[in-house]
């Protein structure tokens, strides 16, 4: 296999465009892609035709507008290229079909922005993300809006947030005499996932219906030996990874590193970073392909945030940076950040954004699945804070406390083995416990859930940082002595927002209390986190930056709450079904056997001891009774759950604890019941299913 030839062979990328489009058309399209110039619709016909011709050479017969409704998935509706021509057909893609589509919008979540009677929605081509051919269809990335112009997807606001950041960053850079055509954010999302054997998976209703195990006593062997992380790959896994890499490469996705993660059966895949909008599309496509390729290998790829209790769950690290088209990374501190007022100002703006909008950042990554991870010693807590590392941490401390700063420079290091090379040791160590960590020349937002779209957190990051850039420009524009004004503005920001900086162990028990003293938010569940979006100042930032209208913010918050409540309700109903139909009867059947044994032993009349059998029978009997009651409680709770977003609060604070109680009882019974009777594969079978 020739990787360079394979790479992006399914993508209508710059190379293909350059070769297949007339020069003026290509240049005009490039201007739109690179600089955000409005699309010249008169070139659409030529582009559509070239795209179609190329797609046919890749085996396509259909095309689809590919969009990202307010679920975490993508949506598509395929149309063939055929047009009748006499008795025959011709293959056609018109400029209009490339630019707009009209899928019925009524069955997608809209949070009330669109009355069902007005079903019309439009998809509009997003030329900034390349089209590709998959399984015989040309996929055209699009945005999705309603008839009345409200956005119904994650792509439109993402593009708007990128525009907002571009605008404000350019204004800010201008103050420093830097002119550039475009400032864009870049994102590299590291993706965690589990792989289990398909046969075992198919025996678990909970995994099939909810993506996670709702019952299951812990395996005798968890992750305590710390032997899985970076461990050597099992053959079946490495074959899967190889197949996946090749598939991803063919779609132009820069799959770069892969390794075993901390939990048994857990792995990670990280692509090379790229422009945010392309990174978001790639991550959506990547998640889909991860599942598809797994099927080919008789495996199932679990993207849920917490498939198994007792071992680590999966997240996604959003590596985020801001760069100009001239290649300047605004988050690069350089050798001497203390002498770089521009960098320090930008850093202070990001810190201020995280502090001012901590509620929004927490809300944008909130979901039923992610609630299990945050603060559970495997992911950052639900509290936002910023980690700066030794060098910047010391610099910021010195500014805030008015102390002398002693610069720390990279020192040549050696690992102490004579033959090993001397290399510069980084000035910052890594901190794995921080939700928002500075890592050299980017920030790593680590609270994201593994199955969620990365669009939402990036919409928020771009918007709130654009806002802080805007405020900085307003404060500094017209300053007589810019250097001084900048230093003093930076100092003020850092002092005001010092509370959000935390350079220590975010998993430690003291941090929660300390964060509370600092007045930081700690919204533990989605039901508590999302209502932050109803606050005036949080709505306003989106409206001011032109990313959402007020109606859109409220609609999205409501969808998120509703979705959360629905997810919990599905999980609860699945538990009830499993409990009533499988677990309760299985324990009873085993109890029946135990009782027969006791009766048989006694019937012999030879004083065979039955004490142990009695203890076990009594214990299981009372546990199963309690289990039955717990099911009734859960059922009643479900029956009285209100409709819509209003259900979130009750789902979080009543249904979830009731589910917990039911699970505890079942898990204990599992440890006491003969494996011949237990109706589901155990955690050991699930986590060690791939040999
Ligand atoms: P770690 O696992 O230690 O966090 P990795 O090297 O596995 O580090 O992942 C780092 C991620 O950060 C990669 O996806 C990489 O592409 C991404 N990244 C590197 N530089 C940038 C940047 N300037 N902007 C956005 N992402 C970046
Ligand atoms: Mg990381």
């Amino acid at each position: 296999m020739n990787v360079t030839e394979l790479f992006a062979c399914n993508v209508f990328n710059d190379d293909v465009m350059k070769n297949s489009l007339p020069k003026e058309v290509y240049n005009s399209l490039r201007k739109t892609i690179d600089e955000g110039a409005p699309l010249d619709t008169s070139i659409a016909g030529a582009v559509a035709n070239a795209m179609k011709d190329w797609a046919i050479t890749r085996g396509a017969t259909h095309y689809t507008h590919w969009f990202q409704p307010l679920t975490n998935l993508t949506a598509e509706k395929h149309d063939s290229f055929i047009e009748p021509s006499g008795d025959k057909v011709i293959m056609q893609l018109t400029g209009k079909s490339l630019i707009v589509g009209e899928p019925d919008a009524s069955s997608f979540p809209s949070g009330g922005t669109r009355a069902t009677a007005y079903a019309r929605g439009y998809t509009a081509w997003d030329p900034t993300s390349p089209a590709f051919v998959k399984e015989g269809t040309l996929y055209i990335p699009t945005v999705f809006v309603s008839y009345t112009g409200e956005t119904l997807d994650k792509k439109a606001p993402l593009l708007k947030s990128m525009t907002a950041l571009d605008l404000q960053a350019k204004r800010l850079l201008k103050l420093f005499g830097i002119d550039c055509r475009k400032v864009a954010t870049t994102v590299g999302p590291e993706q965690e996932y589990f792989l289990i054997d398909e046969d075992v998976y198919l025996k678990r209703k909970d995994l099939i219906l909810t993506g996670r195990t709702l019952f299951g006593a812990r395996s005798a062997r968890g992750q305590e030996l710390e032997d899985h992380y970076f461990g050597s790959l099992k053959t079946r896994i490495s074959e899967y990874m190889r197949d996946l890499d090749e598939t991803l490469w063919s779609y132009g996705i820069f799959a770069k590193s892969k390794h075993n993660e901390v939990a048994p059966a857990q792995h990670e895949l990280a692509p090379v970073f790229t422009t945010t909008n392309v990174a978001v599309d790639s991550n959506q496509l990547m998640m889909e392909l991860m599942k598809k390729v797994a099927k080919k290998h008789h495996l199932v790829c679990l993207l849920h945030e917490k498939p198994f209790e007792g071992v680590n769950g999966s997240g996604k690290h959003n590596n985020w940076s801001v760069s100009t088209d001239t290649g300047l990374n605004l988050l690069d501190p350089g050798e001497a950040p203390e002498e770089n007022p521009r960098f320090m100002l930008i850093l202070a703006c990001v810190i201020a954004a995280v502090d001012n909008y901590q509620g929004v950042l927490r809300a944008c990554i909130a979901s039923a699945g992610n609630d299990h991870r945050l603060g559970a010693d495997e992911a950052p807590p639900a509290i936002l804070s910023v980690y700066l590392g030794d060098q910047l941490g010391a610099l910021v401390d010195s500014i805030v406390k008015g102390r002398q700063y002693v610069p720390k420079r990279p020192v040549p290091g050696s690992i102490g083995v004579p033959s090993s090379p001397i290399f510069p040791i980084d000035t910052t160590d890594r901190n794995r416990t921080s939700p928002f960590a500075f890592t050299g020349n980017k920030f790593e937002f680590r609270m994201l859930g593994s199955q969620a779209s990365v669009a939402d957190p990036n919409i928020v990051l771009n918007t709130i940082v654009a806002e802080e850039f805007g405020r900085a420009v307003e404060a500094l524009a017209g300053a007589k002595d810019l250097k001084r004004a900048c230093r003093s503005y930076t100092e003020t920001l850092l002092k005001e927002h010092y509370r959000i900086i935390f350079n220590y162990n975010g998993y430690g028990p003291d941090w929660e209390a300390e964060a509370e003293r600092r007045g930081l938010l700690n919204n533990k569940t989605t039901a508590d986190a999302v209502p932050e979006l109803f606050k005036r100042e949080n709505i306003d930032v989106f409206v001011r930056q032109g990313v959402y209208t007020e109606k859109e913010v409220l609609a999205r918050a409501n969808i998120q709450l509703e979705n959360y409540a629905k997810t919990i309700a599905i999980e609860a109903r699945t538990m009830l079904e499993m409990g009533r139909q499988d677990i309760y009867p299985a324990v009873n059947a085993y109890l029946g056997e135990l009782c027969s044994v006791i009766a048989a032993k006694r019937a012999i009349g030879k004083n065979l001891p039955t004490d142990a059998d009695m203890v076990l029978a009594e214990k299981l009997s009372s546990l199963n009774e309690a289990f039955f009651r717990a099911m009734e409680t859960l059922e009643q709770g479900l029956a009285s759950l209100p409709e819509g977003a209003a259900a979130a609060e009750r789902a979080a604070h009543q249904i979830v604890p009731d589910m917990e109680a039911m699970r505890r009882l079942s898990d204990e019974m599992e440890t006491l019941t003969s494996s011949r009777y237990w109706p589901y594969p155990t955690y050991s079978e699930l986590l060690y299913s791939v040999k």
Side-chain angles (χ1 to χ4, degrees):
M1 183 207 29
N2 181 335
V3 178
T4 48
E5 266 172 35
L6 173 76
F7 192 80
C9 67
N10 291 318
V11 187
F12 189 71
N13 61 7
D14 186 60
D15 244 15
V16 187
M17 285 196 286
K18 202 186 266 164
N19 290 331
S20 61
L21 291 172
K23 208 166 173 175
E24 325 75 72
V25 175
Y26 171 78
N27 288 340
S28 161
L29 188 57
R30 229 22 283 174
K31 218 171 152 60
T32 299
I33 298 171
D34 296 336
E35 295 165 36
L39 180 75
D40 173 1
T41 49
S42 69
I43 65 165
V47 179
N49 202 43
M51 237 187 224
K52 177 226 30 177
D53 286 345
W54 167 83
I56 290 172
T57 67
R58 302 297 313 163
T61 52
H62 288 68
Y63 70 95
T64 179
H65 276 199
W66 187 57
F67 56 104
Q68 300 174 21
L70 300 176
T71 61
N72 280 318
L73 306 171
T74 54
E76 49 196 77
K77 171 180 163 260
H78 300 207
D79 282 299
S80 70
F81 290 128
I82 65 166
E83 279 300 323
S85 168
D87 292 345
K88 299 203 179 283
V89 292
I90 53 164
M91 300 294 262
Q92 197 176 56
L93 179 66
T94 63
K96 179 159 185 288
S97 309
L98 167 66
I99 298 181
V100 278
E102 275 191 54
D104 183 338
S106 60
S107 297
F108 292 104
S110 75
T113 45
R114 171 195 40 71
T116 320
Y118 305 102
R120 193 170 281 208
Y122 293 103
T123 48
W125 179 33
D126 165 20
T128 61
S129 179
F132 56 92
V133 168
K134 181 165 74 71
E135 292 153 10
T137 296
L138 169 68
Y139 282 73
I140 301 165
T142 59
V143 297
F144 184 36
V145 293
S146 77
Y147 182 60
T148 42
E150 271 97 15
T151 58
L152 296 173
D153 71 347
K154 304 196 176 198
K155 192 66 174 293
L158 180 71
L159 293 171
K160 289 180 183 177
S161 74
M162 290 169 73
T163 305
L165 190 95
D166 173 44
L167 201 80
Q168 301 304 339
K170 279 193 297 214
R171 289 177 68 207
L172 187 113
L173 288 176
K174 226 187 179 95
L175 292 179
F176 294 91
I178 299 175
D179 262 317
C180 61
R181 282 190 298 187
K182 193 166 173 182
V183 177
T185 52
T186 44
V187 163
E190 301 161 58
Q191 174 81 49
E192 292 179 334
Y193 62 100
F194 280 83
L195 280 180
I196 61 169
D197 186 84
E198 194 178 23
D199 289 339
V200 191
Y201 168 86
L202 289 172
K203 292 184 188 140
R204 294 284 314 208
K205 263 183 213 171
D206 44 5
L207 282 178
I208 294 172
L209 294 181
T210 71
R212 75 177 183 104
T213 50
L214 301 169
F215 296 105
R218 298 190 182 182
S219 164
R221 178 179 180 143
Q223 62 192 41
E224 55 277 82
L225 289 177
E226 301 182 328
D227 56 353
H228 194 254
Y229 190 58
F230 282 14
S232 79
L233 303 172
K234 288 181 181 142
T235 312
R236 224 172 130 196
I237 302 296
S238 82
E239 278 166 6
Y240 163 80
M241 288 180 169
R242 192 179 172 83
D243 196 358
L244 179 63
D245 275 343
E246 286 172 16
T247 310
L248 294 174
W249 290 336
S250 80
Y251 291 107
I253 297 171
F254 300 97
K256 176 89 175 161
S257 55
K258 52 187 183 185
H259 60 81
N260 283 349
E261 256 301 327
V262 172
Q266 194 186 27
H267 314 280
E268 182 184 295
L269 169 61
V272 178
F273 68 96
T274 179
T275 324
T276 303
N277 144 39
V278 176
V280 167
D281 284 7
S282 294
N283 186 251
Q284 291 298 126
L285 183 57
M286 184 168 110
M287 288 195 285
E288 185 190 318
L289 294 169
M290 288 169 85
K291 290 187 172 174
K292 280 202 168 144
V293 174
K295 255 192 128 33
K296 269 175 46 192
H297 293 255
H298 214 60
L299 294 166
V300 176
C301 171
L302 301 173
L303 288 176
H304 194 283
E305 284 78 14
K306 193 73 182 182
F308 306 102
E309 202 181 73
V311 295
N312 281 7
S314 300
K316 197 138 52 182
H317 288 177
N318 193 79
N319 293 277
W320 177 91
S321 194
V322 190
S323 298
T324 65
D325 61 329
T326 50
L328 174 70
N329 179 346
L330 303 190
L331 293 180
D332 186 353
E335 289 269 298
E338 70 279 12
E339 289 159 19
N340 186 344
R342 184 192 74 235
F343 170 77
M344 290 310 289
L345 173 65
I346 287 169
L347 179 73
C349 285
V350 176
I351 292 169
V354 176
D355 187 28
N356 282 335
Y357 300 104
Q358 38 176 303
V360 185
L361 281 169
R362 165 69 182 98
C364 76
I365 49 87
S367 69
N370 217 13
D371 280 359
H372 296 288
R373 286 176 64 243
L374 298 177
D377 270 6
E378 56 188 71
I383 310 158
L384 251 303
S385 66
V386 178
Y387 170 84
L388 294 175
D390 293 348
Q391 184 192 28
L392 286 183
L395 177 52
V396 167
D397 279 355
S398 75
I399 295 173
V400 170
K401 301 195 173 131
R403 284 198 304 244
Q404 168 88 20
Y405 172 66
V406 186
K408 214 178 150 189
R409 300 274 178 258
V411 283
S414 158
I415 52 177
V417 178
S419 57
S420 74
I422 307 284
F423 53 92
I425 296 210
D426 289 332
T427 47
T428 53
D429 191 7
R430 294 169 178 236
N431 176 316
R432 295 277 172 203
T433 65
S434 173
F436 202 85
F438 185 74
T439 46
N441 59 2
K442 59 185 162 53
F443 273 100
E444 189 168 339
F445 185 23
R446 301 206 184 103
M447 290 172 107
L448 285 69
S450 48
Q451 63 182 334
S453 159
V454 288
D456 300 290
N458 287 297
I459 293 169
V460 172
L461 275 177
N462 295 343
T463 305
I464 62 179
V465 172
E467 173 79 7
E468 294 301 332
F469 282 177
R471 283 182 199 167
V473 173
E474 247 97 271
L476 298 176
K480 280 196 206 79
D481 181 347
L482 179 74
K483 221 168 157 190
R484 250 183 90 167
C486 180
R487 198 179 325 121
S488 117
Y489 185 76
T490 302
E491 192 181 312
T492 311
L493 277 189
L494 291 176
K495 280 184 177 155
E496 256 172 45
H497 301 288
Y498 192 58
R499 63 171 189 168
I500 199 79
I501 297 170
F502 184 65
N503 283 323
Y504 310 99
N505 182 11
Y507 294 0
D510 310 334
W511 172 226
E512 239 185 285
E514 165 69 16
E516 194 177 337
R517 269 194 298 279
R518 294 189 188 188
L520 300 179
L521 292 172
N522 185 3
N523 288 318
K524 293 206 164 138
T525 74
T526 302
D528 307 306
V530 176
E532 285 289 320
L533 294 170
F534 299 132
K535 289 190 177 157
R536 189 73 258 157
E537 64 272 25
N538 293 340
I539 296 172
D540 285 349
V541 67
F542 289 111
V543 177
R544 251 195 319 271
Q545 293 305 322
V547 174
Y548 289 132
T549 61
E550 175 161 355
K551 205 168 149 192
E552 287 169 341
V553 177
L554 301 179
R556 274 156 207 262
N558 280 319
I559 291 173
Q560 207 180 347
L561 288 171
E562 207 175 312
N563 228 327
Y564 168 77
K566 282 181 183 162
T567 306
I568 303 286
I570 291 169
E571 289 183 350
R573 287 198 299 269
T574 308
M575 283 188 99
L576 287 169
E577 190 180 309
M578 293 170 77
R580 289 204 192 289
Q581 297 179 358
D582 300 329
I583 298 172
Y584 184 80
V587 174
N588 264 352
Y590 180 50
L591 271 169
E593 184 184 305
L594 275 177
C595 293
S596 317
V597 169
I598 295 166
K601 281 184 182 174
R602 287 183 181 164
I604 294 174
K606 286 278 185 194
N607 260 349
L608 289 179
T610 53
D611 293 359
D613 303 316
M614 282 299 293
V615 170
L616 185 56
E618 273 173 34
K619 197 159 185 185
L620 270 177
S621 216
S622 15
L623 282 169
N624 217 16
E625 279 283 315
F627 184 64
F628 188 85
R629 302 272 169 257
M631 288 197 280
E632 286 186 326
T633 310
L634 181 59
E635 198 154 50
Q636 283 156 12
L638 266 184
S640 60
L641 213 55
E643 287 282 301
E649 188 65 35
R650 282 268 299 285
H653 301 297
Q654 183 188 338
I655 305 294
V656 169
D658 286 350
M659 284 163 60
E660 256 311 285
M662 216 179 121
R663 174 174 187 154
R664 294 281 77 86
L665 293 163
S666 169
D667 290 0
E668 192 176 349
M669 293 195 292
E670 183 185 331
T671 62
L672 298 172
T673 302
S674 157
S675 59
R676 275 186 297 120
Y677 286 86
W678 199 255
Y680 302 113
T682 62
Y683 264 33
S684 302
E685 289 167 277
L686 286 162
L687 289 169
Y688 299 96
S689 59
V690 180
K691 300 286 178 307

